[in-house]
């Protein structure tokens, strides 16, 4: 089966045609190596970086921005977000501080993407 | 003061740090928000800093790298919650804040780094009532990402620029149902990869050649009427459709914020809507520089920081008396397919080894060559696989090739 994707690695935004012949995944339409890797992953199991916020107390802001330390399987996005919305953290927070380790057993951590002082 | 930087966003932060690196003694940043970082603090999504840091950072991570830089410089004075109300031609700044009241600050050089502002409902002329729930994409972004407040349950997005697309994904993750993105033009305003990762990933439909023609609701937004448009962007009768929603998100473009620049009668370029600048990003007033989105709306923050640094180096030289301020300017003019170029003019005596130029094309083109010509000779030739209007092009001109030329420099984008 041939699938069509837009490569999101860089702004050229190549249209990729990805198919499987036997065990081999064939990527067509890419202009670079990174596009080939993206096409293969997108065919096997699409992954994305997750950025969202969690509630924070004792800070001048009400939300702490967080980012995943690596890409997370696309179908687990909403489940991850749900888990993050249930929690509340307290300032002070340092950028890079782990908020949830190994979220949903993906092997990926959720970390703070900024520092927040305590008030 | 030696240098006062107006605005503590990415351009201002980079400018202040660079000024210190060039041994400028008294540097001050004036910022109206409660913290430094500017709009980056509400940009929690990733994709920032690919050029500068070699990885995809979130906006706040990118900002924090620079804020740390400012804090590690011992004596950069930072005035937060302070608004500049006027700057005069002799470089006197009138500013105020809650604690100190009115301030009069004299500075030898000024770097304008006020950034840009979103276009609002009144600038796109939408008919109807004036209920709550009609917000710009940036306002929604601030509410959700910083203030932890969801401004609606069901949203319609007008405009398909990147901010609109980013917010479509963000609102969906937050449980706001995004009914669709409507774009008056016949092609999307944002990058294809953002359409893919922000809309397609979440099954959000995009409707081209369609716009919002009426807003309904008294106190609170109840719905909008959308309609398809013809070639002249006029709504087509009979295509109107009512959509129930409690949030209309406007992502209809950005304009450089130049009230202060206009007040001090700096020359503004009608195409960029920002000050006309030279090779050091100096404006038409000597000693007043401009950097970042106040000059033109850049699409990468990396470029914004870069221009802050160019302006700071220029200002440092100006303070030392190392800038040639008397020679005639040579213009840099847009040729085929080029919409505008920054800087608009140069004094070649002030050039370093390389002159970076920033420009946009008028239409999408494939397999092109960027050509720079001066006095009939080529000083720049660079091939591109694809060029798009939403993607700013940055090239460097080898100054060796223009140093003995006195006429204007023309930049064109030619197919082939």
């Amino acid at each position: 089966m041939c699938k069509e994707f837009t490569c999101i690695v860089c702004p050229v935004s190549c249209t990729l045609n990805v198919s499987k012949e036997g065990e081999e995944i064939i990527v067509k339409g890419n202009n670079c190596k990174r596009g080939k890797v993206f096409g293969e992953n997108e065919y096997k199991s699409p992954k994305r970086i997750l950025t969202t916020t969690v509630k924070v107390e004792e800070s001048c802001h009400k939300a702490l921005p967080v980012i995943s330390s690596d890409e997370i399987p696309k179908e687990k996005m909403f489940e991850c977000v749900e888990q993050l919305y249930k929690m509340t953290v307290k300032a002070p927070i340092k950028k890079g501080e782990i908020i949830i380790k190994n979220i949903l057993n993906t092997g990926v951590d959720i970390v703070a993407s900024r520092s927040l002082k305590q008030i | 003061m030696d240098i006062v930087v107006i605005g503590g966003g990415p351009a201002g932060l980079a400018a202040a740090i660079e000024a210190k690196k060039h041994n400028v003694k008294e540097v001050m940043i004036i910022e109206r928000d409660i913290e430094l970082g500017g709009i980056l603090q509400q940009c929690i999504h990733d994709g920032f800093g690919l050029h500068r840091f070699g990885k995809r950072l979130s906006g706040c991570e990118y900002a924090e790298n620079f804020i740390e830089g400012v804090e590690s410089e011992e004596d950069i004075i930072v005035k937060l919650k302070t608004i500049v109300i006027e700057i005069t031609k002799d470089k006197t700044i009138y500013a105020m804040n809650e604690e100190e009241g009115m301030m009069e600050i004299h500075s030898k050089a000024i770097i304008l780094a006020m950034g840009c502002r979103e276009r609002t409902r009144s600038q796109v002329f939408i008919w109807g009532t004036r209920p709550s729930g009609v917000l710009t994409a940036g306002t929604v972004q601030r509410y959700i990402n910083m203030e932890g407040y969801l401004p609606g349950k069901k949203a319609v997005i007008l405009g398909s620029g990147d901010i609109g697309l980013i917010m479509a994904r963000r609102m969906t993750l937050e449980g706001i149902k995004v009914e669709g993105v409507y774009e008056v033009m016949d092609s999307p305003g944002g990058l294809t990869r953002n359409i893919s990762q922000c809309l397609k990933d979440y099954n959000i439909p995009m409707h081209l050649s369609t716009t919002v023609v009426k807003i309904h609701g008294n106190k609170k937004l109840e719905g909008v009427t959308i309609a398809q448009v013809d070639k002249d962007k006029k709504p087509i009768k009979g295509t109107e459709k009512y959509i129930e929603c409690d949030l209309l998100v406007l992502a209809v473009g950005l304009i450089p914020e130049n009230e202060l620049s206009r007040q001090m009668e700096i020359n503004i370029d009608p195409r960029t809507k920002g000050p006309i600048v030279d090779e050091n990003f100096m404006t038409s007033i000597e000693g007043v520089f401009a950097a970042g989105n106040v000059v033109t709306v850049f699409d990468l923050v990396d470029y914004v920081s870069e221009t802050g640094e160019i302006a700071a180096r220029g200002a440092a030289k100006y303070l030392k008396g190392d800038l040639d301020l008397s020679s005639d300017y040579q213009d840099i003019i847009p040729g085929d397919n080029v919409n505008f170029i920054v800087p608009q003019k140069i004094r070649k005596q002030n050039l370093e080894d390389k002159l970076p130029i920033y420009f946009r094309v008028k239409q999408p083109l494939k397999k092109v060559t960027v050509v720079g010509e001066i006095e009939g000779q080529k000083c720049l030739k660079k091939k591109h696989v694809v060029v798009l209007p939403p993607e700013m092009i940055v090239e460097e001109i080898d100054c060796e090739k223009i140093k003995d030329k006195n006429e204007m420099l023309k930049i064109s984008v030619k197919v082939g």
Side-chain angles (χ1 to χ4, degrees):
Chain A
M1 187 180 57
C2 186
K3 287 185 183 173
E4 195 182 286
F5 305 113
T6 303
C7 183
I8 60 171
V9 174
C10 87
V12 178
S13 307
C14 296
T15 304
L16 307 177
N17 284 297
V18 188
S19 55
K20 201 170 179 183
E21 279 176 28
E23 281 307 294
E24 203 187 347
I25 296 174
I26 297 168
V27 181
K28 284 180 188 158
N30 58 306
N31 276 310
C32 75
K33 281 182 197 159
R34 292 190 299 168
K36 185 172 185 298
V37 175
F38 175 82
E40 287 167 0
N41 285 338
E42 200 66 5
Y43 193 90
K44 283 185 290 191
S45 77
K47 289 177 173 181
R48 299 285 184 268
I49 292 280
L50 172 64
T51 60
T52 183
T53 55
V54 297
K55 280 188 227 76
V56 61
E57 288 174 349
E58 294 176 33
S59 155
C60 59
H61 298 303
K62 293 212 169 67
L64 168 75
V66 294
I67 188 166
S68 57
S69 60
D70 201 350
E71 292 181 316
I72 289 176
K74 209 165 94 172
E75 76 273 6
K76 288 201 170 165
M77 280 293 182
F78 280 100
E79 223 180 312
C80 287
V81 167
E82 234 167 79
Q83 198 180 336
L84 286 161
Y85 286 160
K86 281 184 200 144
M87 65 185 298
T88 304
V89 294
K90 254 187 191 161
I93 305 265
K94 275 305 274 176
K95 183 180 81 171
E97 204 175 304
I98 294 175
I99 302 300
I100 293 184
K101 206 170 169 51
N102 185 20
I103 190 163
L104 301 173
N105 282 319
T106 52
V108 176
D109 301 334
I110 302 294
V111 301
S113 73
R114 67 166 289 178
S115 306
L116 280 175
K117 285 187 191 126
Q118 193 174 21
I119 52 160
Chain B
M1 285 286 129
D2 290 322
I3 297 180
V4 174
V5 181
I6 318 292
L13 292 169
I17 296 168
E18 188 74 0
K20 270 284 152 200
K21 278 192 190 147
H22 285 76
N23 304 316
V24 177
K25 274 217 179 95
E26 300 170 323
V27 179
M28 179 192 274
I29 302 175
I30 304 182
E31 166 58 48
R32 66 182 169 194
D33 206 346
I34 57 168
E35 61 184 351
L36 294 173
I39 220 70
L40 283 175
Q41 296 289 22
Q42 65 186 55
C43 298
I44 66 163
H45 56 282
D46 68 312
F48 297 85
L50 209 52
H51 289 241
R52 183 173 286 256
F53 298 109
K55 52 182 176 179
R56 291 163 51 164
L57 303 172
S58 74
C60 17
E61 287 176 305
Y62 186 97
E64 195 154 324
N65 286 350
F66 281 86
I67 294 169
E68 281 167 3
V70 166
E71 282 165 356
S72 68
E73 293 292 343
E74 260 174 37
D75 38 23
I76 296 179
I77 301 168
V78 178
K79 288 213 177 290
L80 297 174
K81 293 190 263 181
T82 306
I83 187 133
V84 174
I85 52 170
E86 193 184 349
I87 308 172
T88 60
K89 281 184 186 172
D90 66 353
K91 303 190 219 26
T92 305
I93 298 156
Y94 294 96
M96 58 182 174
N97 66 29
E98 240 171 44
E99 279 120 48
E100 294 165 275
M102 275 289 288
M103 284 172 268
E104 185 182 304
I105 303 158
H106 300 272
S107 188
K108 290 177 197 144
I110 292 174
I111 298 175
L112 304 172
M114 293 89 78
C116 58
R117 186 185 280 175
E118 292 176 283
R119 290 169 76 199
T120 62
R121 175 185 173 181
S122 55
Q123 282 153 312
V124 288
F125 308 109
I126 308 171
W127 208 253
T129 52
R130 301 186 62 184
S132 67
V134 182
L135 299 169
T136 63
T139 307
V140 175
Q141 192 177 43
R142 188 171 178 104
Y143 280 159
I144 296 178
N145 293 347
M146 296 178 86
E147 299 179 18
Y149 164 68
L150 298 183
K153 290 193 178 74
K154 192 178 172 203
V156 162
I157 300 177
L158 177 62
S160 64
D162 289 310
I163 311 171
L165 303 177
I166 298 283
M167 285 318 292
R169 173 177 65 183
R170 186 72 192 112
M171 290 193 288
T172 306
L173 277 178
E174 287 288 334
I176 298 175
K177 164 89 183 129
V178 179
E179 197 278 335
V181 176
Y182 295 85
E183 170 60 57
V184 71
M185 309 294 274
D186 57 7
S187 66
L191 300 172
T192 317
R193 60 172 167 169
N194 278 339
I195 293 165
S196 173
Q197 63 181 345
C198 297
L199 299 189
K200 283 190 193 146
D201 273 9
Y202 299 95
N203 300 315
I204 301 166
M206 153 113 75
H207 308 270
L208 297 172
S209 299
T210 312
T211 193
V212 172
V213 291
K214 196 170 177 184
I215 289 169
H216 306 265
N218 284 320
K219 285 196 172 133
K220 186 111 190 69
L221 179 69
E222 286 163 13
V224 294
T225 302
I226 54 116
Q228 289 169 28
V229 296
D230 61 19
K231 269 186 268 161
D232 305 317
K233 300 188 196 75
K234 293 242 171 68
I236 303 169
K237 245 199 151 101
T239 64
E240 298 93 348
K241 210 172 103 188
Y242 179 78
I243 298 166
E244 205 184 296
C245 63
D246 61 357
L247 180 60
L248 173 62
V249 180
L250 301 176
V252 287
L254 303 166
I255 345 171
E257 190 169 336
N258 277 295
E259 277 78 3
L260 290 171
S261 328
R262 279 201 194 88
Q263 207 178 21
M264 62 194 296
E265 294 174 358
I266 283 175
N267 292 344
I268 303 283
D269 182 338
R271 285 164 301 186
T272 59
K273 301 187 177 62
I276 294 173
V277 292
D278 68 10
E279 70 292 334
N280 284 300
F281 281 71
M282 189 169 82
T283 67
S284 57
I285 298 181
E286 276 180 17
V288 178
F289 298 76
N293 286 347
V294 80
V295 176
T296 183
V297 179
F298 289 85
D299 34 49
L300 292 186
V301 68
D302 310 62
Y303 301 151
V304 167
S305 305
E306 204 172 276
T307 60
E309 288 162 351
I310 295 172
R313 287 197 294 272
K317 281 188 201 161
Y318 169 81
L319 293 172
K320 278 192 239 159
D322 288 349
L323 274 193
D324 172 7
L325 299 170
S326 54
S327 301
D328 285 341
Y329 274 119
Q330 281 168 265
D331 288 330
I332 306 182
I333 59 159
D336 296 347
N337 294 316
V338 175
N339 200 357
F340 66 80
I341 304 162
V342 169
Q344 289 90 343
K345 54 187 185 175
I346 48 171
R347 275 192 182 115
K348 60 174 189 255
Q349 290 78 358
N350 291 332
L351 293 176
E352 293 168 353
D353 304 344
K354 303 264 185 217
L355 167 71
I357 51 165
Y358 306 83
F359 61 97
R360 279 185 204 281
V361 289
K362 285 183 181 160
Q363 66 208 59
L365 293 168
K366 278 189 177 162
K367 296 211 166 83
V368 295
T369 311
V370 174
V371 180
E373 287 163 297
I374 189 161
E375 291 180 12
Q377 282 180 22
K378 288 198 170 66
C379 57
L380 174 70
K381 209 176 152 189
K382 187 89 182 285
K383 285 196 184 306
H384 285 259
V385 181
V386 59
V387 287
L388 303 162
E391 278 279 313
M392 183 171 263
I393 305 172
V394 183
E395 299 289 1
E396 276 186 336
I397 290 178
D398 182 358
C399 297
E400 258 316 290
K401 293 184 176 159
I402 56 173
K403 73 169 188 201
D404 54 350
K405 308 272 192 299
N406 298 311
E407 283 174 23
M408 58 196 178
L409 168 61
K410 188 162 98 177
I411 309 294
S412 318
V413 174
K414 293 175 179 171
V415 177

